[in-house]
Coordinates of all heavy atoms in Angstrom, one line a residue:
I24 N -9.4 19.3 7.2 CA -9.9 20.4 8.0 C -10.0 19.9 9.5 O -9.6 20.6 10.4 CB -11.2 21.0 7.5 CG1 -11.0 21.7 6.2 CG2 -11.7 22.1 8.5 CD1 -12.4 22.1 5.5
L25 N -10.6 18.7 9.7 CA -10.9 18.2 11.0 C -9.5 18.0 11.7 O -9.4 18.2 12.9 CB -11.6 16.9 10.9 CG -13.1 17.0 10.6 CD1 -13.8 15.7 10.3 CD2 -13.9 17.8 11.5
L26 N -8.5 17.5 10.9 CA -7.2 17.4 11.5 C -6.6 18.7 12.0 O -6.0 18.8 13.0 CB -6.2 16.7 10.5 CG -6.4 15.2 10.3 CD1 -5.5 14.7 9.2 CD2 -6.1 14.4 11.5
A27 N -6.9 19.7 11.2 CA -6.3 21.1 11.5 C -7.1 21.7 12.7 O -6.6 22.6 13.3 CB -6.5 22.0 10.3
L28 N -8.3 21.1 13.0 CA -9.1 21.7 14.1 C -8.9 21.0 15.4 O -9.6 21.3 16.4 CB -10.6 21.7 13.7 CG -11.0 22.6 12.5 CD1 -12.5 22.4 12.2 CD2 -10.7 24.1 12.8
Q29 N -8.1 20.0 15.5 CA -8.0 19.1 16.7 C -7.7 19.9 17.9 O -8.2 19.7 19.0 CB -6.9 18.1 16.5 CG -7.4 16.9 15.6 CD -6.4 15.8 15.4 OE1 -5.2 16.1 15.6 NE2 -6.9 14.6 15.2
E30 N -6.8 20.9 17.8 CA -6.3 21.7 19.0 C -7.3 22.8 19.4 O -7.4 23.3 20.5 CB -5.0 22.4 18.8 CG -3.9 21.5 18.5 CD -2.6 22.2 18.1 OE1 -2.4 23.3 18.7 OE2 -1.9 21.8 17.2
L31 N -8.2 23.3 18.4 CA -9.0 24.4 18.7 C -10.0 24.4 19.8 O -10.0 25.3 20.7 CB -9.7 24.9 17.4 CG -10.5 26.1 17.4 CD1 -9.6 27.3 17.7 CD2 -11.3 26.4 16.2
P32 N -10.8 23.3 20.0 CA -11.8 23.3 21.0 C -11.1 23.5 22.4 O -11.6 24.2 23.3 CB -12.5 22.0 20.9 CG -12.3 21.6 19.5 CD -11.0 22.1 19.1
D33 N -10.1 22.7 22.7 CA -9.4 22.8 24.0 C -8.7 24.2 24.2 O -8.8 24.7 25.3 CB -8.3 21.7 24.1 CG -8.9 20.3 24.2 OD1 -10.1 20.3 24.6 OD2 -8.2 19.3 24.0
S34 N -8.2 24.7 23.1 CA -7.6 26.0 23.3 C -8.6 27.1 23.6 O -8.4 28.0 24.5 CB -6.9 26.5 22.0 OG -5.8 25.6 21.7
L35 N -9.8 27.0 23.0 CA -10.9 28.0 23.3 C -11.5 27.7 24.8 O -11.7 28.7 25.5 CB -12.0 27.9 22.3 CG -11.7 28.4 20.9 CD1 -12.8 28.2 19.9 CD2 -11.2 29.8 20.9
S36 N -11.6 26.5 25.1 CA -12.2 26.1 26.4 C -11.3 26.6 27.5 O -11.7 26.9 28.6 CB -12.4 24.6 26.6 OG -13.3 24.2 25.6
S37 N -10.0 26.7 27.3 CA -9.1 27.1 28.3 C -9.3 28.6 28.7 O -8.9 29.1 29.8 CB -7.6 26.9 27.9 OG -7.3 27.8 26.9
Y38 N -10.0 29.3 27.9 CA -10.4 30.7 28.2 C -11.8 30.8 28.8 O -12.3 31.9 29.0 CB -10.3 31.6 26.9 CG -8.8 31.8 26.5 CD1 -8.2 31.0 25.6 CD2 -8.0 32.8 27.1 CE1 -6.9 31.2 25.2 CE2 -6.7 32.9 26.8 CZ -6.2 32.1 25.8 OH -4.8 32.3 25.5
G39 N -12.4 29.7 29.1 CA -13.6 29.7 29.8 C -14.8 30.1 29.0 O -15.8 30.6 29.5
T40 N -14.8 30.0 27.7 CA -15.8 30.5 26.8 C -16.7 29.3 26.4 O -16.2 28.2 26.1 CB -15.3 31.2 25.5 OG1 -16.4 31.6 24.8 CG2 -14.4 30.3 24.7
D41 N -18.0 29.5 26.4 CA -18.9 28.5 25.8 C -19.7 29.1 24.7 O -20.6 28.5 24.1 CB -19.9 28.0 27.0 CG -20.7 29.1 27.6 OD1 -20.5 30.3 27.2 OD2 -21.5 28.8 28.4
G42 N -19.3 30.3 24.2 CA -19.9 30.9 23.1 C -19.0 32.0 22.5 O -18.4 32.7 23.2
I43 N -18.9 32.0 21.2 CA -18.0 32.9 20.5 C -18.7 33.5 19.3 O -19.5 32.8 18.7 CB -16.6 32.4 20.1 CG1 -16.8 31.2 19.2 CG2 -15.8 32.0 21.3 CD1 -15.6 30.8 18.4
Q44 N -18.2 34.6 18.8 CA -18.5 35.1 17.5 C -17.4 34.7 16.6 O -16.2 34.6 17.0 CB -18.7 36.6 17.4 CG -19.9 37.1 18.2 CD -20.1 38.6 17.9 OE1 -19.8 39.1 16.9 NE2 -20.5 39.3 19.0
M45 N -17.7 34.4 15.3 CA -16.7 33.9 14.4 C -16.7 34.8 13.1 O -17.8 35.0 12.6 CB -16.8 32.4 14.1 CG -15.7 31.9 13.2 SD -15.7 30.1 13.1 CE -17.3 29.8 12.3
E46 N -15.5 35.0 12.6 CA -15.5 35.7 11.4 C -14.4 35.0 10.5 O -13.3 34.8 10.9 CB -15.0 37.2 11.6 CG -14.9 38.0 10.3 CD -14.5 39.5 10.6 OE1 -14.3 39.9 11.8 OE2 -14.4 40.2 9.6
I47 N -14.7 34.7 9.3 CA -13.8 34.1 8.4 C -13.3 35.1 7.5 O -14.0 35.9 6.8 CB -14.5 33.0 7.5 CG1 -15.3 32.0 8.3 CG2 -13.4 32.3 6.6 CD1 -14.4 31.0 9.2
L48 N -11.9 35.3 7.4 CA -11.2 36.3 6.6 C -10.8 35.7 5.3 O -10.6 34.5 5.1 CB -10.1 36.8 7.4 CG -10.3 37.3 8.9 CD1 -9.0 37.6 9.5 CD2 -11.2 38.5 8.8
G49 N -10.6 36.6 4.3 CA -10.0 36.2 3.1 C -11.1 35.9 2.0 O -12.3 35.9 2.4
E50 N -10.7 35.6 0.9 CA -11.7 35.4 -0.3 C -11.6 34.0 -0.8 O -12.0 33.7 -1.9 CB -11.3 36.4 -1.4 CG -11.4 37.8 -1.1 CD -12.9 38.2 -0.7 OE1 -13.8 37.7 -1.4 OE2 -13.0 39.0 0.2
H51 N -11.2 33.0 0.0 CA -11.0 31.7 -0.5 C -12.5 31.1 -0.8 O -13.4 31.3 0.0 CB -10.4 30.8 0.5 CG -10.0 29.4 0.1 ND1 -10.9 28.4 -0.2 CD2 -8.8 28.9 -0.2 CE1 -10.2 27.4 -0.6 NE2 -8.9 27.6 -0.7
S52 N -12.6 30.4 -2.0 CA -13.9 29.9 -2.3 C -14.4 28.8 -1.4 O -15.6 28.5 -1.5 CB -13.9 29.5 -3.8 OG -12.9 28.5 -4.0
G53 N -13.5 28.3 -0.6 CA -14.0 27.2 0.3 C -14.2 27.8 1.8 O -14.5 26.9 2.7
N54 N -14.3 29.1 1.9 CA -14.5 29.6 3.2 C -15.8 29.1 3.9 O -15.8 28.9 5.1 CB -14.6 31.2 3.2 CG -13.1 31.7 3.2 OD1 -12.1 31.0 3.2 ND2 -13.1 33.1 3.1
W55 N -16.9 29.0 3.1 CA -18.1 28.5 3.6 C -18.0 27.1 4.2 O -18.6 26.8 5.2 CB -19.2 28.5 2.5 CG -18.9 27.5 1.4 CD1 -18.2 27.7 0.3 CD2 -19.3 26.1 1.4 NE1 -18.1 26.5 -0.5 CE2 -18.8 25.6 0.2 CE3 -20.1 25.3 2.3 CZ2 -19.0 24.2 -0.2 CZ3 -20.3 24.0 1.9 CH2 -19.7 23.5 0.7
F56 N -17.2 26.3 3.5 CA -17.0 24.9 4.0 C -16.2 24.9 5.3 O -16.5 24.1 6.2 CB -16.3 24.1 2.9 CG -16.2 22.6 3.2 CD1 -17.4 21.9 3.5 CD2 -15.1 21.9 3.1 CE1 -17.4 20.6 3.7 CE2 -15.1 20.5 3.3 CZ -16.2 19.9 3.6
I57 N -15.2 25.7 5.4 CA -14.3 25.8 6.6 C -15.2 26.3 7.8 O -15.2 25.8 8.8 CB -13.1 26.8 6.4 CG1 -12.2 26.1 5.4 CG2 -12.4 27.1 7.7 CD1 -11.1 27.1 4.9
E58 N -16.0 27.3 7.5 CA -16.9 27.9 8.5 C -17.9 26.8 9.0 O -18.1 26.7 10.3 CB -17.7 29.1 8.0 CG -18.6 29.7 9.0 CD -19.2 31.0 8.4 OE1 -19.1 31.3 7.2 OE2 -20.0 31.6 9.2
Q59 N -18.5 26.1 8.1 CA -19.4 25.1 8.5 C -18.8 24.0 9.3 O -19.3 23.5 10.4 CB -20.0 24.5 7.2 CG -21.0 23.3 7.4 CD -21.6 22.8 6.1 OE1 -20.8 22.8 5.1 NE2 -22.7 22.3 6.1
T60 N -17.5 23.6 8.9 CA -16.9 22.5 9.7 C -16.4 23.0 11.1 O -16.6 22.2 12.1 CB -15.6 22.1 8.9 OG1 -16.1 21.7 7.6 CG2 -15.0 20.8 9.5
I61 N -15.9 24.2 11.1 CA -15.5 24.7 12.5 C -16.7 24.9 13.4 O -16.7 24.4 14.6 CB -14.9 26.1 12.3 CG1 -13.5 26.0 11.6 CG2 -14.7 26.8 13.7 CD1 -12.9 27.4 11.3
S62 N -17.8 25.4 12.9 CA -19.0 25.5 13.7 C -19.5 24.1 14.2 O -19.9 24.0 15.4 CB -20.2 26.2 12.9 OG -19.9 27.5 12.5
S63 N -19.5 23.1 13.3 CA -19.9 21.8 13.8 C -18.9 21.2 14.8 O -19.4 20.7 15.9 CB -19.9 20.8 12.5 OG -20.2 19.6 12.9
V64 N -17.6 21.4 14.7 CA -16.7 20.8 15.7 C -16.9 21.5 17.0 O -16.8 20.9 18.0 CB -15.2 21.0 15.1 CG1 -14.2 20.8 16.2 CG2 -15.0 20.0 14.0
L65 N -17.0 22.9 17.0 CA -17.1 23.6 18.2 C -18.4 23.3 18.9 O -18.5 23.1 20.1 CB -17.0 25.1 18.0 CG -15.5 25.6 17.5 CD1 -15.5 27.0 17.4 CD2 -14.5 25.1 18.6
H66 N -19.5 23.2 18.1 CA -20.8 22.7 18.7 C -20.7 21.4 19.4 O -21.3 21.2 20.5 CB -21.9 22.8 17.6 CG -23.2 22.5 18.1 ND1 -24.0 23.3 18.9 CD2 -24.0 21.3 18.0 CE1 -25.1 22.7 19.2 NE2 -25.1 21.4 18.7
E67 N -20.0 20.4 18.8 CA -19.9 19.1 19.3 C -19.1 19.2 20.7 O -19.2 18.3 21.5 CB -19.2 18.2 18.4 CG -20.0 17.7 17.2 CD -19.2 17.0 16.1 OE1 -18.1 16.7 16.4 OE2 -19.8 16.7 15.1
N68 N -18.3 20.2 20.8 CA -17.4 20.3 22.1 C -18.1 21.4 23.0 O -17.4 21.9 23.9 CB -16.0 20.8 21.7 CG -15.2 19.6 21.1 OD1 -14.7 18.8 21.8 ND2 -15.3 19.5 19.8
G69 N -19.4 21.7 22.8 CA -20.1 22.5 23.8 C -19.8 24.0 23.6 O -20.1 24.8 24.6
I70 N -19.3 24.4 22.5 CA -19.1 25.9 22.3 C -20.0 26.4 21.2 O -20.0 25.9 20.1 CB -17.7 26.2 21.9 CG1 -16.6 25.7 23.0 CG2 -17.4 27.6 21.6 CD1 -15.2 25.7 22.7
S71 N -20.9 27.3 21.5 CA -21.8 27.9 20.5 C -21.1 28.9 19.6 O -20.3 29.7 20.1 CB -23.0 28.5 21.2 OG -23.7 27.6 22.0
V72 N -21.5 28.9 18.4 CA -20.8 29.8 17.5 C -21.9 30.7 16.8 O -22.9 30.3 16.4 CB -20.1 29.0 16.3 CG1 -19.5 30.0 15.3 CG2 -19.0 28.1 16.9
F73 N -21.6 32.0 16.8 CA -22.5 33.0 16.3 C -21.7 33.8 15.2 O -20.6 34.0 15.3 CB -23.0 34.0 17.4 CG -23.7 33.3 18.5 CD1 -23.0 32.8 19.6 CD2 -25.0 33.0 18.4 CE1 -23.6 32.2 20.7 CE2 -25.7 32.4 19.5 CZ -25.0 31.9 20.6
Q74 N -22.5 34.2 14.2 CA -21.9 35.1 13.1 C -21.6 36.4 13.8 O -22.3 36.9 14.7 CB -22.9 35.3 12.0 CG -23.2 34.1 11.2 CD -22.0 33.6 10.5 OE1 -21.2 34.4 10.0 NE2 -21.8 32.3 10.4
R75 N -20.5 37.0 13.3 CA -20.1 38.3 13.9 C -21.2 39.3 13.4 O -21.4 39.5 12.3 CB -18.7 38.7 13.4 CG -18.3 40.0 14.0 CD -16.9 40.4 13.7 NE -16.6 41.6 14.5 CZ -15.6 42.3 14.2 NH1 -14.8 42.1 13.2 NH2 -15.4 43.4 15.0
E76 N -21.7 40.1 14.4 CA -22.6 41.1 14.2 C -21.9 42.5 14.3 O -20.9 42.6 15.0 CB -23.7 41.0 15.2 CG -24.5 39.8 15.0 CD -25.5 39.6 16.2 OE1 -25.6 40.5 17.0 OE2 -26.1 38.5 16.3

Side-chain angles (χ1 to χ4, degrees):
I24 295 170
L25 290 172
L26 285 172
L28 294 177
Q29 284 181 336
E30 299 174 41
L31 185 61
D33 289 341
S34 297
L35 293 176
S36 294
S37 68
Y38 289 96
T40 182
D41 58 358
I43 59 162
Q44 290 189 38
M45 183 168 64
E46 181 180 0
I47 306 290
L48 306 172
E50 299 296 321
H51 193 286
S52 58
N54 280 0
W55 66 271
F56 190 51
I57 292 169
E58 181 177 4
Q59 181 182 28
T60 308
I61 292 172
S62 296
S63 175
V64 166
L65 293 181
H66 181 73
E67 288 171 8
N68 285 275
I70 300 172
S71 300
V72 178
F73 302 92
Q74 292 296 321
R75 183 174 186 197
E76 298 170 5

